[in-house]
Amino acid sequence: MVQSREENGRLIISLSGEIDSSNAQEVETRIYEIRQQYPDDSIELDCDRLEYASSAGLRVLLRLIQQTDEVILTNVHSEMYEILDVTGFTEMTEVRRAYRVISVEGCELIGMGANGMVYRIDPDTIVKVYRNPDALPEIHRERELARLAFIAGVPTAIPYDVVRIAGGGYGTVFEKLTARSFAKLLAYDDKPLDEVVQMSIDLLKLIHSKVIRSDTLPDMKAVALDWADFLKDYLPAELHEKLHALIAAVPADEHLMHGDYHVKNIMYQNNEILLIDMDTLCHGHPVFELASIYNAYVGFGLIDPDCTMKFLGLSAETCYTFWRRSLELYLGTQDAAVIDSVEEKAMIIGLARIMRHQIRRDGMNREDGRKMIETCRSILAQLLPRTDSLVF
Amino acid sequence: MSNTVFEMNGTTLTVKPVGELNSMTTPDFEEELRTHLSGVSNLIVDFENVDYISSAGIRLFLGLNQTLKNRGAEMKLIHVSDPIMSIFDLIGFQDVVTVE
Amino acid sequence: MHSIVSDGTDTPSELLKHVRDAGITLFSLTDHDAVNGCAMIREILSENDPKLLNGTEFSCRDEHGKYHILGYNYDPDSKSIKDMVEAGHRYRMKKVRTRLDYIRDEYGFTFSEQDTQDLLAMSSPGKPHIANLMVRYGYAPSKETAICDYLNKAPVHSEYVRPEDAIQSILAGNGIPVLAHPAYGSGDELIVGSEMDQRLRRLIEYGLQGVEAFYSTFPPKLRKETLSFAEKYDLYVTAGSDYHGKNKFIPLGKTNLDKAAEIPGGMKRFLEAVDYS
């Protein structure tokens, strides 16, 4: 009925079966005996095998919650959760539902990414399974970001629940979209480039109009300042100082950004455009978004013209046109001088990021890496001195 | 969605969509609904005959809720089935939209 | 904390000893609808003793529900406080008599003349005292059963102190009105979210100045919620154990204040308001 174990220094008491007036006293006594052995007054109550608690059982839980510094109920199954919800327990302390367990055996594998695999589990849903068995916090973070964005009206697939995968690991279930990426629309000439750019910028503006207040949303300015700091040892002092000062001078901005906005992450479905991959969501001034867009279409291809073909399935020329047209539409002008100046601002942040990325991936010890780092450094050396502000 | 029932009572519009609100059916439903919206101060969407809702359908209601709120009108969803309610619970829909 | 003057089990002098032993430096005795325990402690207080804040706890009720309202640092000679204590006592005695009548008529539970007299002579008798007698006479196996299965069934339609009157009398006596254990209502309810918000707004309109956000049996979630309301409405923050001696299993001085990362601004302002540094 009552068992205990310790995990990472935390006391876990697991309850099983039914707790009612016939055994409530015994359960309570047993729990207090266990607690006496642990000075740290924080308990996880594992309810995975708890089937039912009558009012006498609930009183035991209530007293425990009221007399202990912190009690968290975990692995609570639906029926028990309902009881705890209507009786107010969920208001008093953290009550975590049990993860639904699903099997992906025999399911169609429809995608593979850096973090894991995507399976179709039924006609309406897919599951994104993470390779790393310890990814649970990251899964919850990404799912929460997607949920916040969805509720704020950003068009994206419904992020359903986090599930446990039979055989190991965790994943998030999403609504299945019958959509094609913008990259595919362009590659197969299904739509004219101008129309695709227009749709992508309309959606981008929609994202940038949203404000989501959440601790889970990173501030892009702080992230960019970290990039600048990292480059301290790799840039001449005056360039590094200028870079740092320019980023530091960008005003704080609460507006939402996607963070990895390119044609492979924008989907088209029945005249509707949708976003996928919400794990990069953040907030900040739009110049940071433009910097990441610049990198996807132009920056990463600077020394390797095949890069965009490998990554997006599009030629370097198409990507460059896409980028310039995006700037025109985003800024609402065809004035080349204005567009050039914003492009330079985006390049400064974008190339600082690529330079750091290359160095961290041991680029100094590779021929192509050294070439890329040198290219970034020389462009930054040209741009930084003549730039007064990253804001537009 | 051709079976959708619209009922105007004073400035209260009750609408009863039928079947699935997915990316195929939602655009037509939205178009039809919008033609009924002028002068509505209270929109009631009766979910009794809705079997399934996709992101397209949910987004429609998120958008409508905002539009109506902006002009001082209200919207609520009623008779939501348990499976659809559990989707609403999962995404925290009720934090934004009134569901009874 | 409560003494034998209301429903605690420590006499005022025992309480003072326990407070000294626990190393507490500032304390308040908040007997239900009573103030004389404070006067008794003040008489035996010596110079190096912990600082005592005059306190009391009024049980109140209106159309919206029940409340326990604490009064701190009032002027003990104030007429308004004395009147309120008297009114509270009167209503309380009426309730006790109703309950005694009910268990006699309904279940045939009677007590000796002496025990009944002793009960009625207490300055703040309540359900726990009757329950103790019932257990002693073998009418109920435990205090909890006595209260839940018998005493709570008594139809008590007696008069109550209204929260606005309690708050006004505390203010008139130069005291600070504070809502006790806000998330538990009058004790065993659960009031959170918009319900707590509405309650607080009403009480603030009447003149409420603080909330007891640190309370012995508040889990962290309720503590945080109460603190956020204190911040929202710029209220004083207080800490209370609700120690009742042997009548409740709460250690003296357990308020969970030690769990706070830092002393909230509302509590610092409260301490300044009562001249404690």
Side-chain angles (χ1 to χ4, degrees), chain A residues 97-110:
Chain A
R97 288 171 184 273
Y99 292 107
R100 202 153 61 89
V101 180
I102 65 163
S103 167
V104 292
E105 215 179 278
C107 291
E108 184 193 353
L109 178 67
I110 56 172

PDB file of all heavy atoms in Angstrom, chain A residues 97-110:
ATOM      1  N   ARG A  97      -0.472  14.752 -13.913  1.00  0.00           N
ATOM      2  CA  ARG A  97      -1.126  13.581 -14.488  1.00  0.00           C
ATOM      3  C   ARG A  97      -0.099  12.546 -14.910  1.00  0.00           C
ATOM      4  O   ARG A  97       1.042  12.875 -15.220  1.00  0.00           O
ATOM      5  CB  ARG A  97      -1.885  13.988 -15.751  1.00  0.00           C
ATOM      6  CG  ARG A  97      -3.115  14.793 -15.510  1.00  0.00           C
ATOM      7  CD  ARG A  97      -3.586  15.279 -16.876  1.00  0.00           C
ATOM      8  NE  ARG A  97      -4.730  16.156 -16.783  1.00  0.00           N
ATOM      9  CZ  ARG A  97      -5.987  15.729 -16.755  1.00  0.00           C
ATOM     10  NH1 ARG A  97      -6.248  14.446 -16.803  1.00  0.00           N
ATOM     11  NH2 ARG A  97      -6.974  16.588 -16.674  1.00  0.00           N
ATOM     12  N   ALA A  98      -0.568  11.321 -14.967  1.00  0.00           N
ATOM     13  CA  ALA A  98       0.289  10.257 -15.494  1.00  0.00           C
ATOM     14  C   ALA A  98       0.435  10.466 -16.996  1.00  0.00           C
ATOM     15  O   ALA A  98      -0.496  10.919 -17.654  1.00  0.00           O
ATOM     16  CB  ALA A  98      -0.352   8.904 -15.227  1.00  0.00           C
ATOM     17  N   TYR A  99       1.585  10.173 -17.526  1.00  0.00           N
ATOM     18  CA  TYR A  99       1.736  10.274 -18.979  1.00  0.00           C
ATOM     19  C   TYR A  99       0.968   9.132 -19.637  1.00  0.00           C
ATOM     20  O   TYR A  99       1.002   8.000 -19.173  1.00  0.00           O
ATOM     21  CB  TYR A  99       3.218  10.159 -19.369  1.00  0.00           C
ATOM     22  CG  TYR A  99       4.034  11.317 -18.918  1.00  0.00           C
ATOM     23  CD1 TYR A  99       4.937  11.196 -17.864  1.00  0.00           C
ATOM     24  CD2 TYR A  99       3.900  12.553 -19.529  1.00  0.00           C
ATOM     25  CE1 TYR A  99       5.684  12.276 -17.443  1.00  0.00           C
ATOM     26  CE2 TYR A  99       4.640  13.637 -19.106  1.00  0.00           C
ATOM     27  CZ  TYR A  99       5.532  13.495 -18.060  1.00  0.00           C
ATOM     28  OH  TYR A  99       6.265  14.560 -17.645  1.00  0.00           O
ATOM     29  N   ARG A 100       0.314   9.461 -20.723  1.00  0.00           N
ATOM     30  CA  ARG A 100      -0.294   8.443 -21.530  1.00  0.00           C
ATOM     31  C   ARG A 100       0.854   7.656 -22.176  1.00  0.00           C
ATOM     32  O   ARG A 100       1.857   8.248 -22.554  1.00  0.00           O
ATOM     33  CB  ARG A 100      -1.086   9.176 -22.617  1.00  0.00           C
ATOM     34  CG  ARG A 100      -2.196   8.462 -23.282  1.00  0.00           C
ATOM     35  CD  ARG A 100      -3.230   9.506 -23.769  1.00  0.00           C
ATOM     36  NE  ARG A 100      -2.682  10.453 -24.721  1.00  0.00           N
ATOM     37  CZ  ARG A 100      -2.667  10.271 -26.051  1.00  0.00           C
ATOM     38  NH1 ARG A 100      -3.133   9.158 -26.570  1.00  0.00           N
ATOM     39  NH2 ARG A 100      -2.191  11.206 -26.865  1.00  0.00           N
ATOM     40  N   VAL A 101       0.695   6.368 -22.282  1.00  0.00           N
ATOM     41  CA  VAL A 101       1.749   5.576 -22.923  1.00  0.00           C
ATOM     42  C   VAL A 101       1.278   5.210 -24.327  1.00  0.00           C
ATOM     43  O   VAL A 101       0.175   4.711 -24.498  1.00  0.00           O
ATOM     44  CB  VAL A 101       2.040   4.288 -22.124  1.00  0.00           C
ATOM     45  CG1 VAL A 101       3.141   3.488 -22.804  1.00  0.00           C
ATOM     46  CG2 VAL A 101       2.442   4.636 -20.700  1.00  0.00           C
ATOM     47  N   ILE A 102       2.098   5.492 -25.332  1.00  0.00           N
ATOM     48  CA  ILE A 102       1.708   5.071 -26.681  1.00  0.00           C
ATOM     49  C   ILE A 102       2.839   4.271 -27.312  1.00  0.00           C
ATOM     50  O   ILE A 102       4.003   4.417 -26.920  1.00  0.00           O
ATOM     51  CB  ILE A 102       1.324   6.255 -27.604  1.00  0.00           C
ATOM     52  CG1 ILE A 102       2.534   7.156 -27.854  1.00  0.00           C
ATOM     53  CG2 ILE A 102       0.177   7.057 -27.050  1.00  0.00           C
ATOM     54  CD1 ILE A 102       2.318   8.066 -29.047  1.00  0.00           C
ATOM     55  N   SER A 103       2.472   3.440 -28.245  1.00  0.00           N
ATOM     56  CA  SER A 103       3.470   2.638 -28.935  1.00  0.00           C
ATOM     57  C   SER A 103       3.614   3.150 -30.360  1.00  0.00           C
ATOM     58  O   SER A 103       2.630   3.492 -31.001  1.00  0.00           O
ATOM     59  CB  SER A 103       3.034   1.175 -28.941  1.00  0.00           C
ATOM     60  OG  SER A 103       3.836   0.475 -29.863  1.00  0.00           O
ATOM     61  N   VAL A 104       4.831   3.231 -30.834  1.00  0.00           N
ATOM     62  CA  VAL A 104       5.013   3.678 -32.220  1.00  0.00           C
ATOM     63  C   VAL A 104       5.361   2.495 -33.116  1.00  0.00           C
ATOM     64  O   VAL A 104       5.698   2.665 -34.279  1.00  0.00           O
ATOM     65  CB  VAL A 104       6.114   4.769 -32.339  1.00  0.00           C
ATOM     66  CG1 VAL A 104       5.653   6.048 -31.670  1.00  0.00           C
ATOM     67  CG2 VAL A 104       7.440   4.302 -31.766  1.00  0.00           C
ATOM     68  N   GLU A 105       5.259   1.309 -32.518  1.00  0.00           N
ATOM     69  CA  GLU A 105       5.588   0.121 -33.294  1.00  0.00           C
ATOM     70  C   GLU A 105       4.619  -0.022 -34.468  1.00  0.00           C
ATOM     71  O   GLU A 105       3.406   0.048 -34.300  1.00  0.00           O
ATOM     72  CB  GLU A 105       5.476  -1.104 -32.391  1.00  0.00           C
ATOM     73  CG  GLU A 105       6.519  -2.161 -32.714  1.00  0.00           C
ATOM     74  CD  GLU A 105       6.385  -3.345 -31.778  1.00  0.00           C
ATOM     75  OE1 GLU A 105       6.905  -3.242 -30.659  1.00  0.00           O
ATOM     76  OE2 GLU A 105       5.727  -4.318 -32.164  1.00  0.00           O
ATOM     77  N   GLY A 106       5.144  -0.171 -35.647  1.00  0.00           N
ATOM     78  CA  GLY A 106       4.291  -0.332 -36.822  1.00  0.00           C
ATOM     79  C   GLY A 106       3.742   0.971 -37.370  1.00  0.00           C
ATOM     80  O   GLY A 106       3.043   0.977 -38.375  1.00  0.00           O
ATOM     81  N   CYS A 107       4.051   2.097 -36.704  1.00  0.00           N
ATOM     82  CA  CYS A 107       3.564   3.376 -37.205  1.00  0.00           C
ATOM     83  C   CYS A 107       4.470   3.884 -38.320  1.00  0.00           C
ATOM     84  O   CYS A 107       5.660   3.607 -38.333  1.00  0.00           O
ATOM     85  CB  CYS A 107       3.535   4.425 -36.092  1.00  0.00           C
ATOM     86  SG  CYS A 107       2.298   4.097 -34.850  1.00  0.00           S
ATOM     87  N   GLU A 108       3.872   4.652 -39.215  1.00  0.00           N
ATOM     88  CA  GLU A 108       4.639   5.170 -40.338  1.00  0.00           C
ATOM     89  C   GLU A 108       5.620   6.241 -39.866  1.00  0.00           C
ATOM     90  O   GLU A 108       5.241   7.178 -39.167  1.00  0.00           O
ATOM     91  CB  GLU A 108       3.670   5.763 -41.368  1.00  0.00           C
ATOM     92  CG  GLU A 108       4.361   6.250 -42.624  1.00  0.00           C
ATOM     93  CD  GLU A 108       3.434   7.115 -43.481  1.00  0.00           C
ATOM     94  OE1 GLU A 108       2.239   7.211 -43.162  1.00  0.00           O
ATOM     95  OE2 GLU A 108       3.928   7.683 -44.466  1.00  0.00           O
ATOM     96  N   LEU A 109       6.887   6.073 -40.242  1.00  0.00           N
ATOM     97  CA  LEU A 109       7.886   7.081 -39.911  1.00  0.00           C
ATOM     98  C   LEU A 109       7.799   8.168 -40.973  1.00  0.00           C
ATOM     99  O   LEU A 109       8.019   7.904 -42.150  1.00  0.00           O
ATOM    100  CB  LEU A 109       9.283   6.444 -39.910  1.00  0.00           C
ATOM    101  CG  LEU A 109      10.458   7.375 -39.617  1.00  0.00           C
ATOM    102  CD1 LEU A 109      10.404   7.878 -38.186  1.00  0.00           C
ATOM    103  CD2 LEU A 109      11.783   6.664 -39.868  1.00  0.00           C
ATOM    104  N   ILE A 110       7.442   9.396 -40.567  1.00  0.00           N
ATOM    105  CA  ILE A 110       7.252  10.407 -41.610  1.00  0.00           C
ATOM    106  C   ILE A 110       8.290  11.516 -41.561  1.00  0.00           C
ATOM    107  O   ILE A 110       8.296  12.404 -42.402  1.00  0.00           O
ATOM    108  CB  ILE A 110       5.833  11.023 -41.572  1.00  0.00           C
ATOM    109  CG1 ILE A 110       5.536  11.601 -40.192  1.00  0.00           C
ATOM    110  CG2 ILE A 110       4.780  10.008 -41.955  1.00  0.00           C
ATOM    111  CD1 ILE A 110       4.243  12.391 -40.160  1.00  0.00           C
TER     112      ILE A 110
END
